[in-house]
Amino acid sequence: MNTELTSPVDDYFRSHLPNQNDTGGRKWLYPRATSGRYTRWRNVVAWVLLAALFAGPFLWVDGHPLFLFNVLERRFIFFGVTFWPQDFYLVAIGLVTFVVFIALFTVVFGRVFCGWACPQTIFMEMVFRKIESWIEGDFRAKQRLDASPWTTEKILKKTTKHGVFLLISFIISNTFLAYLIGRDQLLAIILDNPANHLAGLTAMLAFTGVFYAVFAYLREIVCTTICPYGRLQSVLLDKSSLIVAYDYIRGEPRGKKLRTETEAPGIPLTPLPAPAPKGDCIDCKLCIHVCPTGIDIRNGTQMECINCTACMDVCDEVMVKVDRPLGLIRMDSQQGIETRQPFRFTTRILAYTGVLAVLIAVLAFMLLSRSALDVTVLRAPGQLFQREADGQIANLYSVEVINKTYRVLPIRFRLNNPDAKLRFVQPLTQTRPGELFKTMFFITLPEKAVHQTNTPLTLDVLSGNEVMDQIETNFLGPSN
Ligand code: SF4
Ligand code: SF4
């Protein structure tokens, strides 16, 4: 990560966290609210994502959920497609693909996911912080309230705020649980006798507590210290990655300028005499005041920056007021700032794109060629072969069948050896949706047809006339 700057700034920020005071304690941040084009777009994106998040567990298609991440039963449904423990290789490849996608996305766009799409930021900035502002007032009022003694008004405001925070945390916790255990089980926990669902209720309360602690107290610490993705930036970003960047070439040397109220309404006037000509940054520090992690982006790229673009909005407002071009803080690469060249695809980006394309192709092929029936046939342990009264040699096998679909599927087995016969211990003619069926069967061969101790056999698994799977196995016999 590059924090190089050409302007003279002190190095205090290198050794101190913005949310830490001089004695090492927590310094509470009071970010100022922003307006502007990026804030408006962030609001739109946030509300769309929130709607999708809360609707997700309740969207059902053909009587089945669209999403389910049931870790306990190891059953996952993604866009209506069910994945079983036997599909773990698909989940593993999917995760690797996702990690490469995140790496590519970060190499190109920096940490923009954190500021625009991460649930932590969306809930913090678009839900909890807004509710806090409605109850306690703007950033100055909040600061005053926290510093003031405990009056009836303060007790009322704090109680209301934390009550609402707990309620929203409870709603988030229920949604989270609905993704894990499914809509129906969640409703059962809510509507049934609590004594029958102690584990579910405990989980619900525990999640509520975690979400409340995150949004009421931890806040930016999650992004700056706990989340591992922020730490990945230092290895993923390079000079050509797009990031929220301060144009120090344009901005420095920073300093207040002499202007009339007409030229710069709302910006504090600087007393005479007029300073020497300076860069475009008027050192108003508004970009620091709006930052949810409390950093000064003018110090260069920092791990704490979540690319929320709030500083871009506020600085653009300042640039309008001082009649300078927009974009003193903008999405640009370090190279772009230094050379004024537009974004270019680097070899690294192309390499990541190539790997991602291959992974997506492999994943798509595996998903499309995935069988609806998963069948495992194993020779019964500890068994060799049996001689039957009619001169047949018999081998015993165990079979496990999983129906990965939502419909009843007929099933039958066909052996590729015309002399071989199948005899099930329990009949198996159909499998129910999502069912794991276990049984055993014998394969028999006339002794005269067994010419070796180990005869390879192929077993076709059919549903109707469609061959769903082909299983290779061995048939043990006497040595003739
Ligand atoms: S908001 Fe813009 S002008 Fe104000 S201090 Fe930040 S970079 Fe400088
Ligand atoms: S520096 Fe700007 S983009 Fe980065 S977190 Fe702070 S306000 Fe958001």
Side-chain angles (χ1 to χ4, degrees):
M1 192 183 318
N2 196 309
T3 51
E4 184 185 328
L5 265 186
T6 56
S7 69
V9 288
D10 68 42
D11 272 358
Y12 185 82
F13 77 96
R14 293 188 196 279
S15 54
H16 291 76
L17 291 169
N19 56 356
Q20 183 190 44
N21 60 31
D22 288 337
T23 57
R26 173 90 178 265
K27 187 171 119 194
W28 199 257
L29 299 178
Y30 299 92
R32 189 178 169 140
T34 52
S35 54
R37 55 188 169 150
Y38 298 108
T39 305
R40 280 195 295 278
W41 275 111
R42 271 181 82 204
N43 278 326
V44 172
V45 171
W47 288 114
V48 169
L49 291 176
L50 283 173
L53 180 83
F54 283 112
F58 304 98
L59 295 176
W60 282 45
V61 179
D62 290 339
H64 306 283
L66 208 54
F67 300 101
L68 182 73
F69 304 97
N70 195 331
V71 184
L72 298 177
E73 290 175 11
R74 291 181 295 157
R75 185 171 164 230
F76 304 93
I77 302 177
F78 198 60
F79 286 105
V81 182
T82 307
F83 296 91
W84 298 90
Q86 289 72 12
D87 296 317
F88 181 76
Y89 65 100
L90 284 174
V91 177
I93 295 174
L95 282 175
V96 172
T97 309
F98 181 69
V99 168
V100 174
F101 169 75
I102 289 285
L104 173 64
F105 191 82
T106 310
V107 168
V108 178
F109 294 110
R111 211 176 159 182
V112 85
F113 166 84
C114 300
W116 283 62
C118 173
Q120 155 72 20
T121 310
I122 289 181
F123 276 117
M124 187 65 246
E125 302 306 324
M126 301 298 167
V127 180
F128 286 87
R129 187 102 63 198
K130 283 191 173 155
I131 289 167
E132 189 173 69
S133 299
W134 289 333
I135 296 170
E136 296 186 352
D138 68 4
F139 68 105
R140 282 197 202 90
K142 282 182 217 165
Q143 218 164 347
R144 275 198 305 271
L145 188 72
D146 282 355
S148 69
W150 284 96
T151 58
T152 313
E153 187 201 354
K154 181 168 174 175
I155 292 170
L156 201 66
K157 283 186 172 174
K158 291 288 179 192
T159 314
T160 311
K161 181 180 91 169
H162 288 285
V164 177
F165 277 13
L166 272 169
L167 179 68
I168 297 172
S169 302
F170 183 69
I171 296 170
I172 300 172
S173 156
N174 277 267
T175 311
F176 187 61
L177 217 52
Y179 275 107
L180 289 181
I181 60 175
R183 177 194 69 178
D184 294 344
Q185 281 210 48
L186 177 73
L187 287 178
I189 292 176
I190 294 170
L191 301 174
D192 202 5
N193 181 351
N196 297 336
H197 301 281
L198 285 180
L201 280 170
T202 309
M204 198 182 269
L205 294 178
F207 285 142
T208 303
V210 169
F211 287 124
Y212 172 72
V214 163
F215 296 116
Y217 298 105
L218 285 176
R219 300 192 160 193
E220 76 285 347
I221 292 176
V222 174
C223 311
T224 59
T225 312
I226 299 173
C227 176
Y229 177 53
R231 320 236 140 211
L232 275 179
Q233 276 194 112
S234 47
V235 287
L236 291 175
L237 296 188
D238 60 25
K239 286 182 86 169
S240 49
S241 302
L242 288 174
I243 46 169
V244 172
Y246 165 68
D247 186 343
Y248 56 85
I249 294 176
R250 225 187 93 184
E252 302 296 324
R254 65 186 74 161
K256 302 220 182 302
K257 298 162 184 62
L258 180 69
R259 291 181 182 83
T260 66
E261 183 61 30
T262 332
E263 285 168 341
I267 300 293
L269 295 177
T270 310
L272 287 171
K278 298 197 184 299
D280 282 353
C281 174
I282 63 167
D283 205 18
C284 63
K285 297 191 171 51
L286 284 175
C287 49
I288 307 173
H289 295 162
V290 298
C291 180
T293 59
I295 60 168
D296 184 348
I297 193 64
R298 296 174 302 169
N299 290 330
T301 308
Q302 290 147 81
M303 196 195 69
E304 292 84 359
C305 176
I306 57 168
N307 281 22
C308 71
T309 63
C311 53
M312 288 165 54
D313 261 338
V314 79
C315 190
D316 276 353
E317 279 174 20
V318 175
M319 290 300 108
V320 170
K321 287 176 181 167
V322 298
D323 198 21
R324 299 297 303 148
L326 303 184
L328 178 59
I329 304 176
R330 60 178 181 271
M331 284 300 287
D332 205 339
S333 63
Q334 195 186 337
Q335 201 164 41
I337 298 272
E338 283 165 9
T339 63
R340 294 320 203 226
Q341 295 295 313
F343 174 78
R344 284 209 319 266
F345 284 94
T346 60
T347 316
R348 191 174 179 219
I349 294 174
L350 292 174
Y352 278 131
T353 310
V355 173
L356 184 62
V358 170
L359 282 169
I360 290 174
V362 169
L363 191 61
F365 173 76
M366 287 183 155
L367 278 172
L368 293 174
S369 58
R370 192 174 75 126
S371 170
L373 285 175
D374 197 278
V375 182
T376 310
V377 173
L378 294 171
R379 288 181 41 76
Q383 301 266 340
L384 285 174
F385 61 88
Q386 299 167 27
R387 268 198 179 87
E388 299 194 332
D390 55 358
Q392 300 278 319
I393 301 292
N395 279 203
L396 182 63
Y397 298 81
S398 66
V399 58
E400 278 185 18
V401 180
I402 297 173
N403 178 351
K404 296 178 183 171
T405 70
Y406 292 125
R407 44 185 214 284
V408 174
L409 288 178
I411 184 169
R412 64 191 170 93
F413 294 82
R414 185 174 64 197
L415 281 159
N416 68 340
N417 186 326
D419 295 323
K421 299 240 173 337
L422 261 175
R423 194 173 73 233
F424 274 90
V425 174
Q426 261 178 295
L428 172 60
T429 53
Q430 63 176 33
T431 58
R432 288 195 293 271
E435 180 187 58
L436 168 63
F437 187 85
K438 293 182 186 180
T439 185
M440 304 197 89
F441 62 71
F442 288 97
I443 295 179
T444 57
L445 271 173
E447 186 159 359
K448 59 180 168 30
V450 180
H451 305 295
Q452 53 196 20
T453 52
N454 203 338
T455 308
L457 290 174
T458 304
L459 199 61
D460 288 341
V461 182
L462 295 105
S463 185
N465 289 324
E466 189 185 348
V467 178
M468 310 295 282
D469 204 354
Q470 274 199 326
I471 294 163
E472 305 290 335
T473 188
N474 291 315
F475 184 91
L476 297 186
S479 54
N480 291 321

